[in-house]
Amino acid sequence: MKNKKIIIGSRGSKLALIYAERARAELLKNTELENIEIKSITTSGDRITDERLSKHGGKGLFCRTIEQDLLGNNIDIAVHALKDMPAEETE
């Protein structure tokens, strides 16, 4: 398991990347994992800059792309900033 590469997916915002780096540091400290990469992901919410996000689905826009990467096995772990999460849990 030491040489297995683990990919943490996170939104590219400064706050989300801080949380992803903290998660990475905890994994390095508390496991035998050594190869942990952080993948910065541009979400739908990041791309919409000229309209209100509520027109397109609100806060879920900041996590949907990351969740799809997790379900598609493109990343192993998803780390979000809580402020980007919708109030209701998705299926």
Side-chain angles (χ1 to χ4, degrees):
M1 184 92 169
K2 256 187 177 184
N3 293 323
K4 179 178 177 5
K5 181 178 183 178
I6 299 294
I7 301 173
I8 299 173
S10 177
R11 183 173 169 229
S13 72
K14 186 175 183 179
L15 182 60
L17 290 173
I18 288 170
Y19 289 141
E21 186 53 51
R22 285 183 180 177
R24 180 182 181 276
E26 287 297 316
L27 285 168
L28 289 170
K29 183 171 76 173
N30 294 300
T31 69
E32 292 184 10
L33 297 170
E34 294 176 348
N35 191 3
I36 304 171
E37 174 187 320
I38 296 174
K39 178 182 177 184
S40 177
I41 299 170
T42 302
T43 67
S44 303
D46 295 315
R47 290 186 199 96
I48 300 169
T49 59
D50 59 342
E51 293 184 293
R52 295 181 59 86
L53 294 177
S54 59
K55 284 181 155 182
H56 299 276
K59 288 190 175 210
L61 295 171
F62 291 109
C63 57
R64 192 170 301 131
T65 306
I66 297 169
E67 289 174 352
Q68 289 170 344
D69 274 1
L70 184 62
L71 292 170
N73 295 317
N74 297 317
I75 60 174
D76 301 297
I77 301 169
V79 174
H80 296 282
L82 185 58
K83 71 176 191 64
D84 292 333
M85 298 298 293
E88 294 182 21
E89 187 176 342
T90 61
E91 290 181 29

